Amino acid sequence: MTQNPVRASVHLEPRPKAPATPDTSSLAAIASATPPPLSHESSHVQKSDLKKAHVDTSDNATATFIRRVLCQNHQHHVGNEKDRAAARPINELLPPLTSSNDVDLQLYAFIAIIIKDFVYSWYSKITPDQGFVDEVIQIIAHCSRALEQRLRNVDIEALVLDEIPQLLEAHIVAYRTAHYPLHPDPMAPEPLQLYHALHPHPALSPVPIPEDPAAVLEQETNEIAYRQLLVQGALAVLLPTEDLENACLRTLIVEVIGETVVGNGIGGKGSQSWLIWEGIRKMGEYVHRRLGRTERGFEVNEPTKSRLEHFGLLSTTPMDDITRPNSRTSIHIGSAVSKIAWRVVYLAFVAFVTLRFIVVALVTSSSLPPRSLKTCPPSRKSSYSEKDQPPSDHSGEPFIRPQQRPLQSKQPILSMKSWSCISHLLELDSRMPWLSGFLSFVQWMAITGPGKVGNTNGTLDKYLSHTLLTNLLTPTNLPPFLLTIRTTLFPNNTLAPSLPAPSPSEITAIKFSCATTLLSLLPRSVANIYFATADVKEQKREVEEVLDVFGDEYCNKHLIYGILECVVVRLMPELGDVGIRELMEGRLG
């Protein structure tokens, strides 16, 4: 792998979509150079434009926002050249972050928000030169392409369907154990202390009790150190050696990513209960649009009446009720026969759909290839150039050995933790124990029974894997997911909250709206059987009780930091094998 030549200009140059390659940076020269005289006309981004609330979240509006913040050098032209520059797509103005332009658009929107609020706020007061920001973007692009390369070697199925649901299941069990104790209140321990004892995390220790300011301060200090340590470990793996040796650059990136992205975004706003409920509601609405439903499952469609019937001017009693004395009995019998007929039709339809599913699964899975097992590439492949020698200890062995660890065979889809996580979340063991036992028996029979259709590379296993990869884990779902996160965390494309924190009554309304959206995804007959009641208000109340597992910010941080750690370690397995200090010493000598 050869080293790219140093660019003669700091202006961004478009590059084709390509795998990650190490890129050198001239940030040290820019940082040490004497800043030119301040020019307020060209240095400051127009405050009226940056503070404007962007309600429109379309691709055109997002691209306009990115051009205004990150492509200021291209707006210094005049006349037709300026118009052509403004009309050029983002992938021609900025370096590629991934192999997908749609994903790049959403990622650059996040970068523009961070640059606008945390770099321009102080850098524009020093110099109008945009070279520093351009170099930061180049470094981010290098790291993102390296992450994409590593992502292709990660078992996405195991990560999304097994490891993350396992963390969520542990959170659900610990939260309900801590907040719904079996002992009376005088003997019940503090819920936060009990939760932390059941689901500990070093960054959130000790438990921040408001009556103990020293514990609160110590916990905040540990959390800050944890975030900085996590970012430093990622930079030690992803950054080119030239940029990693720049202590000023490394400190700046650690502060921006550790405090702005991880601290204020993921660990701050992302752990608030009302924001999680709002995000779940938006995802539920997205599922509604994907399913193409025009009616909510719980909207009662009353039979249409004429205006005369509505105001009681026309009798709704059939003429047979007047002329025949036994009309009520005949109507009751006819209604019962009609219900039985429709029930038979419904069961026949369900049987047909089930049979069709089995036939399609058998035909499709027979032509599907076996689930391939990915092997991890060498850890240093995207971190060192050819001239860099692998760091070694006194025995001559490299500190970071190639990650050719023996991996176990693929885990069956049916044995992954996502199913038990859903069972714990819906409380099937207590609500419908007969259904929980029946599903467990079906799962065991599919995996170990005759034919082992649910075992690894079995007929059912290959079909489920193919269905999940083509519908749920497809890359086309990533841009809407990123857009939902951005509009939830930064509704006006700014880190500052557009509205004050919601009041308790508003938080209750947000949870109620989330419960209504989730309940509308279920068919009414299924909900009536599951909740054992046809009262919609009671069903919504029980859904709100299920959503209470995300009702505490401190407990949510345990879950979010656990998921973040899991993703980071799967993308950079070096962090799970070697300490961060050893990584830094190995890279910097």
Side-chain angles (χ1 to χ4, degrees), residues 556-575:
N556 293 337
K557 282 187 177 182
H558 287 74
L559 173 64
I560 291 174
Y561 282 152
I563 294 176
L564 181 62
E565 276 185 24
C566 180
V567 174
V568 169
V569 172
R570 290 297 169 263
L571 290 174
M572 291 164 278
E574 299 92 334
L575 298 179

Short mmCIF file of all heavy atoms in Angstrom, two decimals, residues 556-575:
data_model
loop_
_atom_site.label_atom_id
_atom_site.label_comp_id
_atom_site.label_asym_id
_atom_site.label_seq_id
_atom_site.Cartn_x
_atom_site.Cartn_y
_atom_site.Cartn_z
N ASN A 556 -30.72 3.80 31.13
CA ASN A 556 -30.57 3.79 29.67
C ASN A 556 -29.11 3.95 29.26
O ASN A 556 -28.69 3.41 28.23
CB ASN A 556 -31.40 4.90 29.04
CG ASN A 556 -32.90 4.67 29.19
OD1 ASN A 556 -33.34 3.54 29.37
ND2 ASN A 556 -33.68 5.72 29.12
N LYS A 557 -28.33 4.68 30.04
CA LYS A 557 -26.91 4.84 29.71
C LYS A 557 -26.18 3.52 29.77
O LYS A 557 -25.26 3.27 28.98
CB LYS A 557 -26.26 5.85 30.66
CG LYS A 557 -26.56 7.31 30.33
CD LYS A 557 -25.73 8.23 31.20
CE LYS A 557 -25.97 9.69 30.82
NZ LYS A 557 -25.14 10.62 31.61
N HIS A 558 -26.54 2.65 30.72
CA HIS A 558 -25.92 1.33 30.77
C HIS A 558 -26.15 0.58 29.46
O HIS A 558 -25.22 -0.03 28.90
CB HIS A 558 -26.49 0.52 31.94
CG HIS A 558 -26.02 0.96 33.28
ND1 HIS A 558 -26.48 2.12 33.88
CD2 HIS A 558 -25.15 0.40 34.16
CE1 HIS A 558 -25.91 2.25 35.07
NE2 HIS A 558 -25.10 1.23 35.27
N LEU A 559 -27.37 0.64 28.96
CA LEU A 559 -27.69 -0.06 27.71
C LEU A 559 -26.98 0.57 26.53
O LEU A 559 -26.39 -0.14 25.69
CB LEU A 559 -29.20 -0.04 27.50
CG LEU A 559 -29.71 -0.58 26.15
CD1 LEU A 559 -29.38 -2.05 26.00
CD2 LEU A 559 -31.21 -0.35 26.02
N ILE A 560 -26.99 1.90 26.43
CA ILE A 560 -26.42 2.57 25.27
C ILE A 560 -24.91 2.41 25.23
O ILE A 560 -24.32 2.11 24.18
CB ILE A 560 -26.82 4.06 25.29
CG1 ILE A 560 -28.32 4.18 25.03
CG2 ILE A 560 -26.05 4.86 24.25
CD1 ILE A 560 -28.86 5.58 25.17
N TYR A 561 -24.25 2.58 26.37
CA TYR A 561 -22.80 2.40 26.39
C TYR A 561 -22.42 0.94 26.12
O TYR A 561 -21.38 0.66 25.50
CB TYR A 561 -22.23 2.85 27.73
CG TYR A 561 -22.10 4.35 27.85
CD1 TYR A 561 -22.17 4.98 29.09
CD2 TYR A 561 -21.92 5.14 26.73
CE1 TYR A 561 -22.05 6.36 29.22
CE2 TYR A 561 -21.81 6.51 26.84
CZ TYR A 561 -21.87 7.12 28.09
OH TYR A 561 -21.76 8.48 28.19
N GLY A 562 -23.24 0.01 26.58
CA GLY A 562 -22.97 -1.39 26.29
C GLY A 562 -23.07 -1.70 24.81
O GLY A 562 -22.22 -2.41 24.25
N ILE A 563 -24.10 -1.16 24.15
CA ILE A 563 -24.24 -1.36 22.70
C ILE A 563 -23.09 -0.68 21.96
O ILE A 563 -22.53 -1.25 21.00
CB ILE A 563 -25.59 -0.81 22.23
CG1 ILE A 563 -26.73 -1.65 22.83
CG2 ILE A 563 -25.68 -0.81 20.72
CD1 ILE A 563 -28.11 -1.12 22.50
N LEU A 564 -22.70 0.52 22.40
CA LEU A 564 -21.58 1.22 21.75
C LEU A 564 -20.29 0.43 21.87
O LEU A 564 -19.54 0.29 20.90
CB LEU A 564 -21.44 2.61 22.38
CG LEU A 564 -20.33 3.50 21.81
CD1 LEU A 564 -20.58 3.79 20.34
CD2 LEU A 564 -20.22 4.79 22.61
N GLU A 565 -20.01 -0.10 23.04
CA GLU A 565 -18.82 -0.91 23.23
C GLU A 565 -18.84 -2.15 22.33
O GLU A 565 -17.83 -2.49 21.71
CB GLU A 565 -18.72 -1.36 24.69
CG GLU A 565 -18.10 -0.35 25.62
CD GLU A 565 -17.95 -0.92 27.01
OE1 GLU A 565 -17.89 -2.16 27.15
OE2 GLU A 565 -17.91 -0.13 27.96
N CYS A 566 -19.98 -2.80 22.27
CA CYS A 566 -20.10 -4.02 21.46
C CYS A 566 -19.82 -3.73 20.00
O CYS A 566 -19.07 -4.46 19.33
CB CYS A 566 -21.47 -4.63 21.65
SG CYS A 566 -21.77 -6.14 20.72
N VAL A 567 -20.39 -2.65 19.47
CA VAL A 567 -20.19 -2.30 18.06
C VAL A 567 -18.72 -1.93 17.81
O VAL A 567 -18.13 -2.36 16.81
CB VAL A 567 -21.13 -1.16 17.67
CG1 VAL A 567 -20.83 -0.67 16.25
CG2 VAL A 567 -22.59 -1.61 17.75
N VAL A 568 -18.13 -1.14 18.71
CA VAL A 568 -16.74 -0.70 18.52
C VAL A 568 -15.79 -1.90 18.54
O VAL A 568 -14.88 -2.00 17.71
CB VAL A 568 -16.37 0.34 19.59
CG1 VAL A 568 -14.87 0.60 19.58
CG2 VAL A 568 -17.12 1.64 19.35
N VAL A 569 -16.01 -2.82 19.47
CA VAL A 569 -15.11 -3.98 19.56
C VAL A 569 -15.27 -4.90 18.36
O VAL A 569 -14.30 -5.50 17.88
CB VAL A 569 -15.36 -4.72 20.89
CG1 VAL A 569 -14.59 -6.04 20.92
CG2 VAL A 569 -14.94 -3.86 22.06
N ARG A 570 -16.49 -5.03 17.83
CA ARG A 570 -16.67 -5.87 16.64
C ARG A 570 -16.04 -5.23 15.42
O ARG A 570 -15.51 -5.93 14.55
CB ARG A 570 -18.16 -6.12 16.40
CG ARG A 570 -18.80 -7.02 17.43
CD ARG A 570 -18.19 -8.41 17.41
NE ARG A 570 -18.62 -9.20 18.56
CZ ARG A 570 -17.91 -9.35 19.67
NH1 ARG A 570 -16.72 -8.77 19.78
NH2 ARG A 570 -18.38 -10.08 20.66
N LEU A 571 -16.08 -3.91 15.33
CA LEU A 571 -15.44 -3.23 14.20
C LEU A 571 -13.93 -3.19 14.35
O LEU A 571 -13.21 -3.26 13.35
CB LEU A 571 -15.98 -1.81 14.07
CG LEU A 571 -17.43 -1.66 13.59
CD1 LEU A 571 -17.87 -0.21 13.65
CD2 LEU A 571 -17.58 -2.18 12.16
N MET A 572 -13.45 -3.07 15.58
CA MET A 572 -12.01 -2.99 15.84
C MET A 572 -11.65 -4.03 16.89
O MET A 572 -11.53 -3.71 18.08
CB MET A 572 -11.64 -1.57 16.32
CG MET A 572 -11.78 -0.52 15.24
SD MET A 572 -11.81 1.17 15.87
CE MET A 572 -13.53 1.31 16.35
N PRO A 573 -11.52 -5.28 16.49
CA PRO A 573 -11.25 -6.34 17.47
C PRO A 573 -9.93 -6.18 18.20
O PRO A 573 -9.71 -6.84 19.22
CB PRO A 573 -11.26 -7.62 16.62
CG PRO A 573 -11.01 -7.17 15.22
CD PRO A 573 -11.61 -5.80 15.11
N GLU A 574 -9.04 -5.31 17.71
CA GLU A 574 -7.79 -5.06 18.42
C GLU A 574 -8.04 -4.55 19.84
O GLU A 574 -7.27 -4.82 20.76
CB GLU A 574 -6.92 -4.06 17.67
CG GLU A 574 -6.52 -4.51 16.27
CD GLU A 574 -7.50 -4.03 15.22
OE1 GLU A 574 -8.67 -3.81 15.54
OE2 GLU A 574 -7.07 -3.88 14.07
N LEU A 575 -9.13 -3.75 20.00
CA LEU A 575 -9.41 -3.18 21.31
C LEU A 575 -9.82 -4.25 22.32
O LEU A 575 -9.73 -4.01 23.53
CB LEU A 575 -10.53 -2.14 21.18
CG LEU A 575 -10.22 -0.93 20.29
CD1 LEU A 575 -11.41 0.01 20.23
CD2 LEU A 575 -8.99 -0.19 20.81
#
